[in-house]
Amino acid sequence: MKKFNLVFLTFLCLATSAYSQMLSNKTVFTHQDTLRGSITPERAWWDLTYYHLNIEVLPETKFISGKNTIQYTVLEPANVLQIDLQVPLKITKVTQDGKDLNVIHEGNAHFITLTKPQVKGASNSIDVYYEGHPKEAVRAPWDGGFSWKKDDNGKHFIATSNQGLGASVWWPCKDHMYDEVDSMDISVTTPKGYMDVSNGKLTNTKNLDDGRKIFTWSVKNPINNYGVNVNIADYVHFSEVYPGEKGPLDMDYYVLRDNLEKAKKQFKDAPRMMKAFEHWFGPYPFYEDGFKLVEVPYPGMEHQSSVTYGNKFENGYNGRDVSGSGWGLKFDFIIIHESGHEWFANNITYKDIADMWIHESFTAYSENLFVDYHYGKEASAAYVIGTRASIKNTKPIIGTYNVNSEGSGDMYTKGANMLHTLRQLVGDDEKWRQILRGLNKTFYHQTVTTKQIEDYLSQESGIDLTAFFNQYLRDIRIPTLEYKFKDGSLNYRWTDIVNGFDMPIQVTIDDKPQWITPTEAWKTIPVKNKALDVDKDFYVNSKML
């Protein structure tokens, strides 16, 4: 591979892994990390059911204010409830049934003492009022917060992004992934001449006397906190209706006024994406909320039903092929990758960010499946194999649990190649497709653990994948097929492996493709020629001794 491509792919690995906002290098954890990353007693006793986030955004002063109504069901009686909001934002007041409540502030965690008896099974709500200057994203989405930019006409161009760092960087919430809100409304007051685009469908626009507007968006499906967004600009809108597996699907597009014609051309990749992913993964998971692409002043993010886009209306990633194969220039990387997250991240969501591979491995792999659907299996294999140049193998893919710590950025391209390898082991493309569709059906609108995904894949494939996942998710070594020829025989074994790793692999011996099943012990078979080729679809190393 050319040096240019290798350098770029290394950059890409850093860039895409940083979509989760640079948490992966942290090795020393604090009490604040535990409060953020664990299911604390003050979170565990109540089940989140509904949010109404109602805020005003003041671009000239980079100030926001408002409240979040948080509705919940009591699982077990308790009287202290944890809400998260990151400094420098401040909670100014919390009420329940109109009565002010006492709040103890502990860094970014805020503990609210309730005076009303919390009866098991009861549905209650609190109103959390807040204000301040939210953290400004310096290089979104690689760090989080508000992006306060201007478009080429000097108008405000504002967006939020906050995966990993947390939604509480700009709004008060139960900021842990295990408990998704069942539905929510988002009301945003904008200055005169601007539109807000958020998640779900626009259900109300209110004109105020001074020219400001309040846009209310309603989300009918469960949504994870980091999937919630606010985007404010001089937007123009166009749309289409896609004939999907579950019927007509509203697909809406919001872009800056000057980019309308470019978007109408480039966004043709959106229905192509939908066709490929409904084939491989099953119906789009949020028909009631529609699908949107929203232009933003950063590369992009997988905000649920409000996928943000900033790829300059070019194919590839910022005009470059992430695979070096040529196939990456056949589509717009941001449209395909970020939309793939609607199935893996927004439909199936990790409970703990340590299991972020569930989002990123499957979604990086979805790029390959998009290529497969539109350009064929050989093209898709070249694409995913080409992305291996960015894999570092310096840290395990799975991170540290209960402290809001993700694993290695290899969860993208290494994870995609792990899944491509698994496809070879399944050995039946239609069965593999049904496994992927079954994942999205079985875990529909759920938060999950790695164990649940591993168990499902083992069960449905009929293969015990315990050692396979230990190797690729929890170890940094790549299995190496060592082999040697002696006296008309081929001797072979696996090295650099975890205990119990015995993955079969397809090789070509004596000009004939065949399967062998190496283990850590030497095995021997008779051969005529001293030549062995390993199928490149397997992510392994090979070494002739």
Side-chain angles (χ1 to χ4, degrees):
M1 181 173 289
K2 294 180 180 179
K3 183 178 180 182
F4 171 83
N5 284 336
L6 180 59
V7 170
F8 172 69
L9 285 168
T10 301
F11 160 77
L12 180 76
C13 181
L14 291 172
T16 52
S17 66
Y19 274 25
S20 50
Q21 300 172 344
M22 297 185 289
L23 301 177
S24 61
N25 291 328
K26 193 168 186 176
T27 56
V28 178
F29 301 103
T30 67
H31 182 54
Q32 279 293 307
D33 294 321
T34 300
L35 290 177
R36 170 77 173 84
S38 64
I39 305 173
T40 62
E42 293 81 10
R43 284 171 168 159
W45 66 267
W46 56 286
D47 177 51
L48 182 60
T49 57
Y50 171 77
Y51 285 133
H52 185 184
L53 178 62
N54 190 338
I55 67 169
E56 181 171 11
V57 179
L58 302 176
E60 296 298 336
T61 56
K62 298 181 179 180
F63 188 84
I64 64 174
S65 63
K67 71 171 180 176
N68 190 19
T69 298
I70 303 172
Q71 188 179 91
Y72 62 92
T73 299
V74 178
L75 301 177
E76 295 293 339
N79 70 337
V80 179
L81 179 150
Q82 178 182 339
I83 292 297
D84 305 284
L85 183 68
Q86 297 179 34
V87 294
L89 294 174
K90 296 180 180 179
I91 292 177
T92 57
K93 179 173 67 170
V94 180
T95 65
Q96 185 163 66
D97 297 339
K99 297 180 180 179
D100 289 357
L101 301 175
N102 184 55
V103 184
I104 297 175
H105 307 283
E106 189 172 339
N108 296 325
H110 309 273
F111 297 94
I112 301 161
T113 300
L114 306 171
T115 57
K116 175 182 178 179
Q118 303 296 304
V119 180
K120 184 175 181 178
S123 177
N124 296 322
S125 67
I126 58 172
D127 291 322
V128 180
Y129 296 80
Y130 77 111
E131 64 182 26
H133 299 274
K135 178 183 179 298
E136 184 169 354
V138 177
R139 189 167 171 258
W142 296 285
D143 69 342
F146 261 77
S147 294
W148 308 96
K149 304 294 183 181
K150 295 285 184 73
D151 66 17
D152 289 342
N153 298 318
K155 291 202 165 188
H156 292 293
F157 190 18
I158 301 164
T160 59
S161 58
N162 49 252
Q163 186 187 11
L165 183 61
S168 55
V169 74
W170 67 274
W171 60 286
C173 57
K174 187 180 191 178
D175 205 0
H176 192 289
M177 299 291 285
Y178 88 99
D179 189 7
E180 290 189 346
V181 70
D182 297 336
S183 62
M184 75 178 295
D185 290 314
I186 306 161
S187 297
V188 181
T189 303
T190 67
K192 182 178 180 180
Y194 291 92
M195 180 179 190
D196 169 69
V197 182
S198 292
N199 313 79
K201 291 191 174 181
L202 184 64
T203 53
N204 189 54
T205 302
K206 182 177 181 180
N207 297 305
L208 302 181
D209 292 341
D210 59 3
R212 292 177 300 154
K213 289 186 177 182
I214 303 174
F215 297 90
T216 298
W217 298 81
S218 295
V219 180
K220 301 300 183 184
N221 291 284
I223 184 169
N224 61 61
N225 287 332
Y226 90 79
V228 177
N229 67 348
V230 164
N231 307 285
I232 298 172
D234 179 24
Y235 284 123
V236 292
H237 167 245
F238 65 103
S239 65
E240 61 186 313
V241 177
Y242 178 78
E245 284 196 18
K246 292 177 67 174
L249 172 63
D250 293 329
M251 298 183 70
D252 293 278
Y253 311 110
Y254 295 86
V255 298
L256 296 181
R257 190 171 299 278
D258 291 351
N259 294 331
L260 178 60
E261 294 309 314
K262 287 187 288 187
K264 285 182 176 179
K265 178 181 178 181
Q266 190 70 7
F267 286 5
K268 290 179 181 178
D269 262 0
R272 294 177 74 220
M273 170 279 300
M274 196 64 68
K275 191 171 185 179
F277 289 168
E278 286 208 325
H279 170 82
W280 281 108
F281 302 142
Y284 174 69
F286 310 107
Y287 268 71
E288 300 84 355
D289 296 324
F291 172 87
K292 293 190 294 294
L293 288 176
V294 187
E295 187 178 0
V296 292
Y298 61 83
M301 197 77 201
E302 66 263 27
H303 301 104
Q304 183 173 309
S305 71
S306 181
V307 173
T308 49
Y309 174 88
N311 201 37
K312 301 179 181 179
F313 306 97
E314 297 178 322
N315 280 359
Y317 178 78
N318 200 22
R320 298 183 176 93
D321 176 8
V322 304
S323 72
S325 68
W327 294 107
L329 293 178
K330 298 290 186 181
F331 61 92
D332 189 307
F333 175 89
I334 291 296
I335 292 176
I336 304 310
H337 179 91
E338 303 305 344
S339 299
H341 276 304
E342 294 281 45
W343 285 263
F344 293 98
N346 299 338
N347 185 39
I348 303 173
T349 309
Y350 58 68
K351 284 186 177 179
D352 190 300
I353 199 171
D355 290 333
M356 188 176 167
W357 77 273
I358 297 168
H359 294 197
E360 300 301 349
S361 296
F362 280 97
T363 302
Y365 182 60
S366 77
E367 302 157 24
N368 165 60
L369 294 180
F370 174 87
V371 174
D372 188 300
Y373 185 86
H374 288 288
Y375 302 104
K377 192 173 181 179
E378 186 175 335
S380 70
Y383 179 87
V384 72
I385 291 168
T387 66
R388 291 177 188 172
S390 66
I391 300 172
K392 291 188 171 183
N393 287 317
T394 55
K395 285 180 58 179
I397 285 177
I398 290 180
T400 304
Y401 290 98
N402 299 317
V403 286
N404 196 44
S405 174
E406 72 205 33
S408 165
D410 282 347
M411 69 181 77
Y412 292 80
T413 49
K414 181 178 178 180
N417 277 279
M418 173 188 72
L419 293 170
H420 184 64
T421 300
L422 182 53
R423 178 182 183 177
Q424 314 314 310
L425 297 179
V426 171
D428 180 328
D429 286 346
E430 180 56 26
K431 180 178 180 180
W432 180 234
R433 183 172 82 98
Q434 293 306 324
I435 287 173
L436 296 174
R437 290 173 65 93
L439 270 172
N440 280 278
K441 183 177 181 180
T442 300
F443 300 109
Y444 182 74
H445 290 176
Q446 293 184 34
T447 59
V448 300
T449 64
T450 285
K451 185 177 187 309
Q452 287 176 280
I453 300 301
E454 287 182 349
D455 289 349
Y456 177 88
L457 291 172
S458 287
Q459 177 181 331
E460 296 303 313
S461 68
I463 306 168
D464 183 351
L465 296 170
T466 303
F468 176 87
F469 285 119
N470 285 341
Q471 184 76 48
Y472 287 104
L473 294 178
R474 300 177 177 89
D475 201 282
I476 64 173
R477 297 170 296 170
I478 299 306
T480 299
L481 180 66
E482 286 190 346
Y483 63 97
K484 56 188 176 182
F485 297 97
K486 184 178 180 181
D487 300 329
S489 296
L490 168 68
N491 301 283
Y492 59 92
R493 69 175 180 181
W494 283 125
T495 61
D496 299 326
I497 56 173
V498 299
N499 290 336
F501 186 85
D502 60 356
M503 182 180 77
I505 187 169
Q506 191 165 40
V507 298
T508 300
I509 305 171
D510 294 336
D511 298 322
K512 295 171 60 176
Q514 57 184 283
W515 287 86
I516 59 175
T517 306
T519 63
E520 62 183 351
W522 285 104
K523 290 186 175 182
T524 303
I525 56 173
V527 294
K528 296 178 182 178
N529 303 313
K530 292 185 177 182
L532 178 147
D533 289 318
V534 175
D535 189 333
K536 291 182 174 61
D537 288 320
F538 291 80
Y539 180 45
V540 299
N541 293 325
S542 62
K543 181 180 179 182
M544 186 172 75
L545 300 179

